[in-house]
Amino acid sequence: MTRAAKGTVSIESVKGRLRLCWRYQGQRFYLTLGYPDTAKHHAIARLKANQIQSDLLYERFDPSLAKYKPNATAPKSLTLLEIYDRFIEYKRPQCSPSTMRSQYRPWRKRVTELPTDDPHEAGTIRDWVLSHMALDSGKRFLGSLSECCNWAIESGLLDKNNFSGMASKICLPKKSKEDEDICPFNKREIDLLIDLFKTNKYYKHYYPFIYFCFLTGCRPSEALALQWKHIDKRFERITFEQALVMAEDGLKVKGGLKTQDRKEFRCNSALTGLLKATHQAIQKPTREGLVFPSPRGKHIDFHNFANRAWKTILSEAGIPYRKPYQTRHTFITLALEKLSVQDVAALVGNSPEIIYRHYAGVSRDLELPLVL
């Protein structure tokens, strides 16, 4: 290598990283930049070298080098997606193929959807996650990004983890009593309720909604937000990806489900028949239209439905009052008679742990209804 002229700041590459080197008053100085040895970063290093040479020439050189040190000790050139891809390759030999498929690959897809690919814009990313993902999923996603950035710091790819502690500050709502108050209907009660809704002069409009809840085990809020675009044209598959919630300014459709972003549900013959009949009964149905609208074509006010239609039908049936959410508990309890815990968990969007915890002690003397 040709010796640089006195007072000249040269650029060197040491183990793939750039540093500056020069002499001043008989002393050799080095400034490690941390940038990778690329043409782009050579240009950045040259700007820093020119600054130092100018200070040497005009006698304003800072021998402590504090003036010239980069704001970060590692390059910021890698995007969050590039870092996450390297992180996935690091994790691949350490986890099972199923974990890679079910956890890391879906999170990677989420990284591609973010509004910014700058790993230092954690606040912007967090705000987007909270408005576009279910709260539980968003919390776990931010935790994965933090784990990724910790690895990137150890690997010399990043200077700071701006996601550190972010997930722990997200508080999940306490589990509602509806999730734990399990008192399922038996087959006789199910048949009686469905028949009474179907024939009641005032409340037969809600028959498809109630029958659907018994057939799918979905949360009522998920059924109330369902649109025809979420059901394939052959009425064989349903995509649940939003829910109807009561916000400060009234009823509002919120993207994502309670514990996940979305779930797919395959229809059996009874459910397909119900959906076809419901679709045919609607005048000029559209893909954006609600599957279960109110009598006036708006979202059903679930509170009013529970206090009027639901209470009335239960009274007529001579069944002690139970909340409409028991349709979900009924589906899960009866499905466990025929399916594995893992299969039932996948159907209803819960973890096997939750199914074991809340339904293991429920009586198994219930007969699986023919509609399931």
Side-chain angles (χ1 to χ4, degrees), residues 227-229 286-290:
Q227 297 170 272
W228 289 111
K229 66 181 180 181
T286 65
R287 298 296 290 168
E288 296 296 323
L290 294 170

Side-chain angles (χ1 to χ4, degrees), residues 80-97 99-112 141 144-145 147-149 151-152 155 157:
L80 185 58
L81 180 59
E82 290 170 333
I83 294 174
Y84 204 82
D85 278 339
R86 297 189 187 189
F87 173 63
I88 286 178
E89 293 309 311
Y90 164 75
K91 296 293 291 187
R92 190 181 301 280
Q94 305 177 49
C95 63
S96 67
T99 299
M100 181 60 61
R101 182 181 66 254
S102 63
Q103 181 174 326
Y104 291 107
R105 300 309 298 184
W107 286 159
R108 183 195 183 278
K109 182 177 184 300
R110 278 300 190 181
V111 173
T112 67
F141 176 55
S144 182
L145 292 181
E147 181 189 7
C148 168
C149 289
W151 168 84
S155 303
L157 302 177

Side-chain angles (χ1 to χ4, degrees), residues 30-49:
Y30 296 94
L31 179 63
T32 301
L33 299 175
Y35 301 137
D37 188 2
T38 66
K40 172 184 175 181
H41 292 94
H42 262 275
I44 297 175
R46 174 47 56 196
L47 292 175
K48 181 68 67 177

Side-chain angles (χ1 to χ4, degrees), residues 275-299:
L275 292 173
K276 284 183 177 180
T278 303
H279 190 265
Q280 291 171 358
I282 300 176
Q283 293 184 355
K284 298 181 180 179
T286 65
R287 298 296 290 168
E288 296 296 323
L290 294 170
V291 178
F292 306 111
S294 71
R296 296 185 179 182
K298 306 295 183 181
H299 285 108

Side-chain angles (χ1 to χ4, degrees), residues 49-308:
N50 290 341
Q51 177 191 5
I52 296 173
Q53 286 186 182
S54 176
D55 284 2
L56 290 171
L57 178 63
Y58 292 102
E59 299 183 348
R60 57 192 182 202
F61 173 66
D62 177 11
S64 73
L65 305 186
K67 179 179 180 180
Y68 313 110
K69 290 181 179 179
N71 293 328
T73 59
K76 299 182 180 180
S77 59
L78 292 178
T79 67
L80 185 58
L81 180 59
E82 290 170 333
I83 294 174
Y84 204 82
D85 278 339
R86 297 189 187 189
F87 173 63
I88 286 178
E89 293 309 311
Y90 164 75
K91 296 293 291 187
R92 190 181 301 280
Q94 305 177 49
C95 63
S96 67
S98 61
T99 299
M100 181 60 61
R101 182 181 66 254
S102 63
Q103 181 174 326
Y104 291 107
R105 300 309 298 184
W107 286 159
R108 183 195 183 278
K109 182 177 184 300
R110 278 300 190 181
V111 173
T112 67
E113 299 170 350
L114 295 175
T116 175
D117 61 4
D118 186 346
H120 297 83
E121 294 292 333
T124 299
I125 292 173
R126 175 202 58 208
D127 295 343
W128 183 91
V129 167
L130 292 178
S131 62
H132 288 79
M133 298 176 65
L135 196 59
D136 183 59
S137 297
K139 182 182 177 76
R140 289 185 284 113
F141 176 55
L142 291 173
S144 182
L145 292 181
S146 181
E147 181 189 7
C148 168
C149 289
N150 281 336
W151 168 84
I153 292 174
E154 296 173 356
S155 303
L157 302 177
L158 202 60
D159 61 298
K160 182 181 179 182
N161 179 6
N162 290 283
F163 295 94
S164 180
M166 189 171 282
S168 63
K169 295 178 182 178
I170 297 176
C171 298
L172 299 177
K174 293 183 179 179
K175 191 166 292 293
S176 67
K177 293 182 179 179
E178 287 184 328
D179 292 318
E180 300 179 356
D181 179 23
I182 301 174
C183 186
F185 297 100
N186 59 36
K187 185 181 185 302
R188 182 193 66 80
E189 292 171 330
I190 295 172
D191 292 342
L192 182 56
L193 287 174
I194 291 174
D195 184 63
L196 287 175
F197 265 106
K198 188 174 184 179
T199 58
N200 185 275
K201 177 180 179 181
Y202 300 103
Y203 300 121
K204 61 183 179 181
H205 175 82
Y206 300 103
Y207 153 74
F209 166 61
I210 287 299
Y211 194 13
F212 181 86
C213 289
F214 273 119
L215 284 172
T216 62
C218 71
R219 298 177 180 87
S221 60
E222 297 168 0
L224 295 177
L226 199 65
Q227 297 170 272
W228 289 111
K229 66 181 180 181
H230 300 127
I231 302 172
D232 75 322
K233 294 183 179 180
R234 298 179 66 179
F235 303 96
E236 295 178 347
R237 189 175 296 274
I238 303 169
T239 300
F240 292 100
E241 59 182 13
Q242 58 189 32
L244 185 67
V245 298
M246 178 60 74
E248 294 179 351
D249 54 350
L251 293 174
K252 177 182 178 182
V253 174
K254 181 181 182 300
L257 308 181
K258 187 172 183 179
T259 58
Q260 59 192 133
D261 295 332
R262 56 187 288 166
K263 66 181 177 184
E264 301 287 336
F265 192 95
R266 184 182 299 175
C267 303
N268 62 10
S269 58
L271 183 52
T272 294
L274 172 67
L275 292 173
K276 284 183 177 180
T278 303
H279 190 265
Q280 291 171 358
I282 300 176
Q283 293 184 355
K284 298 181 180 179
T286 65
R287 298 296 290 168
E288 296 296 323
L290 294 170
V291 178
F292 306 111
S294 71
R296 296 185 179 182
K298 306 295 183 181
H299 285 108
I300 293 175
D301 186 320
F302 188 65
H303 179 74
N304 287 339
F305 163 80
N307 285 330
R308 296 178 182 178

